[in-house]
Amino acid sequence: MLEVTRLSTAYGLIKALDGVSLSAQTGAVTCILGPNGAGKTTLMFSIAGILRPEAGSIQFDGIELSRLDAPGVLKHGLALVPENRLVFPLMSVRENLQAGAYLRPASTPAAVREITEDIEKMYARFPVLGERAGQNAGTLSGGEQQMLAVARALMSRPKILLMDEPSVGLSPLIVDEIFSIIAQLNREGISILLVEQNAAKALQVADHFYLLDHGRVAFSGTPGEMENDDVIQRAYLGDRAA
Ligand code: ATP
């Protein structure tokens, strides 16, 4: 469904992605692991149309995305939940959700009704967002901001969510909640491409793993193959094995 082929992206002379190939299947949770600076965010930004790759292709359901800008990519059903949430801090929770539907302008009464219904669905899914609807997003806790970032992305009715380290900086209980949300969204039919450092948690939800290192794919395999890989075992699953 999502097929990335020999993708290279650079910041000036710094080559952050160097011929990355990977695929994410429809209905699956595909997880990308990798140390700091490996190029994970660069990969997500390249897929989401925020960064322009210098070579390679990104195909989604047969459509070439690598030359599209961010709204163009979103239109095809790929929505990014960025690292560190990046909610709009001075806008209310409700306004953040409205912003997530920016490709569906509220220009007719029917469109307004649809967006309002979708916002109500987000409040039903994440009750805390309903309770804080009028509150500035910047005043939410880290976990609440993560839920808002997910809900904002869902407002575009995506086929695939690109989630960049959703558990970073959150307490273990909230991390559990985030992972159960990921599993639930996946059960509802949304495909997920997940960047995650917490390999033990990712093992609970992911169908396939890639390890990115120095801008290249260093490993690709199933959860079972990943658990049996010595390097990954030591670097990512050490705590769990202990
Ligand atoms: P982390 O886990 O720390 O978020 P990452 O795997 O997401 O890291 P990237 O943020 O994609 O890594 O960075 C990949 C490489 O590109 C790093 O060497 C980084 O220093 C470099 N890089 C990232 N953003 C820029 C930028 N705006 N300008 C120059 N170099 C950058």
Side-chain angles (χ1 to χ4, degrees), residues 99-174:
Y102 78 101
L103 286 180
R104 297 188 273 154
S107 49
T108 63
V112 172
R113 200 165 45 242
E114 240 185 47
I115 292 170
T116 306
E117 281 168 12
D118 278 6
I119 289 175
E120 291 304 323
K121 282 184 200 156
M122 294 308 150
Y123 294 161
R125 186 191 284 279
F126 306 108
V128 69
L129 298 184
E131 290 158 21
R132 308 291 162 89
Q135 191 172 318
N136 275 1
T139 64
L140 298 178
S141 72
E144 290 161 356
Q145 288 191 23
Q146 186 62 58
M147 287 173 208
L148 178 56
V150 172
R152 183 182 57 185
L154 291 174
M155 286 297 295
S156 68
R157 300 180 171 179
K159 294 181 193 158
I160 182 165
L161 273 185
L162 311 171
M163 304 183 80
D164 194 352
E165 297 205 41
S167 73
V168 81
L170 301 179
S171 67
L173 271 181
I174 303 294

Side-chain angles (χ1 to χ4, degrees), residues 11 14 16 34-43 83 164-165 197 212:
Y11 302 98
I14 298 170
N36 292 121
K40 305 180 300 296
T41 296
T42 304
L43 174 64
E83 186 177 11
D164 194 352
E165 297 205 41
Q197 299 273 10
L212 207 58

